[in-house]
Amino acid sequence: MSELLHTFEAWLLDYGVWGLIIVSFADSSFFPIPPDVLLIPLAITNPGSALLYALYTTIASVIGALFGWLIGKKLGRPILVRLFSEARIQKVEEYFTKFGPVALLIAGLTPVPYKIFTIFAGVSGVKIRVLVIWSIIGRGIRFFLEGVIILTLGAKAKPFIEENFTLLTLAAGGVLILVYLVYLVIRKKKQTP
């Protein structure tokens, strides 16, 4: 199976930017290959376009997130009901509704399969505006960080990203979660007399 995926990745890489856009869209809704496997080699080949490739990847990924949301909205609940009890689904929905933006942010930043979160956002009825905003932030930070690293390091970026990128994205996610929690505390204090 792994060899088949690598062959498919190589085939998509032959399509350059269009392959990158297709994978970025599909990764956010149903596809098992993350866009990084195309973004990194394309950007290393042409470092001057690294940020442009990051932009294409972000836009296509956010549009794919909308498709994932639609999948969840139309098909998600019937499938979940067959796998889990209604009480368990409602509990997860409560958590997702309460922490949905943070969940989307972390999933967008990290190697966690983003499609799971976009689909569940549809199942949970997360507002499209929330999905789009947090997808832009999470996916944008992830892909532009890769683009900046490639722009800065050139061909040396690939081993650097392979060794450090998960840690960098988790750290960025941690900082953003902290900022979000501080925001919630401040907002709550303003609301209480």
Side-chain angles (χ1 to χ4, degrees):
M1 185 66 166
S2 178
E3 188 176 318
L4 179 63
L5 283 177
H6 288 301
T7 303
F8 194 62
E9 288 170 15
W11 178 75
L12 286 167
L13 198 54
D14 288 341
Y15 286 92
V17 173
W18 287 109
L20 177 63
I21 289 169
I22 290 166
V23 168
S24 300
F25 171 85
D27 168 65
S28 292
S29 48
F30 61 87
F31 199 57
I33 298 175
D36 311 71
V37 299
L38 296 178
L39 173 60
I40 293 168
L42 281 173
I44 287 174
T45 302
N46 190 0
S49 296
L51 297 180
L52 184 61
Y53 294 153
L55 178 64
Y56 293 151
T57 305
T58 302
I59 292 169
S61 184
V62 172
I63 294 169
L66 290 168
F67 186 62
W69 181 91
L70 185 63
I71 290 170
K73 186 79 171 166
K74 299 294 181 188
L75 304 173
R77 183 165 280 287
I79 294 169
L80 289 175
V81 169
R82 291 183 182 180
L83 301 173
F84 304 103
S85 70
E86 185 65 35
R88 186 173 256 177
I89 293 169
Q90 287 177 353
K91 192 69 171 167
V92 172
E93 284 178 332
E94 287 172 24
Y95 286 130
F96 202 87
T97 301
K98 188 173 183 179
F99 301 111
V102 173
L104 288 166
L105 173 68
I106 295 303
L109 275 170
T110 62
V112 174
Y114 194 54
K115 65 195 101 336
I116 293 169
F117 289 82
T118 64
I119 292 169
F120 204 85
V123 171
S124 301
V126 170
K127 293 180 181 173
I128 290 177
R129 176 177 47 87
V130 171
L131 175 73
V132 169
I133 290 169
W134 290 97
S135 293
I136 289 170
I137 294 169
R139 300 309 261 178
I141 290 171
R142 177 182 181 84
F143 301 132
F144 276 94
L145 183 57
E146 286 177 337
V148 167
I149 291 169
I150 291 167
L151 192 60
T152 305
L153 299 178
K156 294 178 185 175
K158 187 171 183 180
F160 178 83
I161 290 170
E162 288 171 354
E163 294 172 17
N164 302 300
F165 198 70
T166 299
L167 183 61
L168 287 172
T169 57
L170 289 174
V175 168
L176 289 171
I177 288 173
L178 186 61
V179 169
Y180 181 72
L181 292 175
V182 168
Y183 163 76
L184 290 178
V185 168
I186 292 170
R187 189 176 85 178
K188 189 172 187 174
K189 284 185 178 182
K190 285 182 179 180
Q191 291 175 349
T192 55

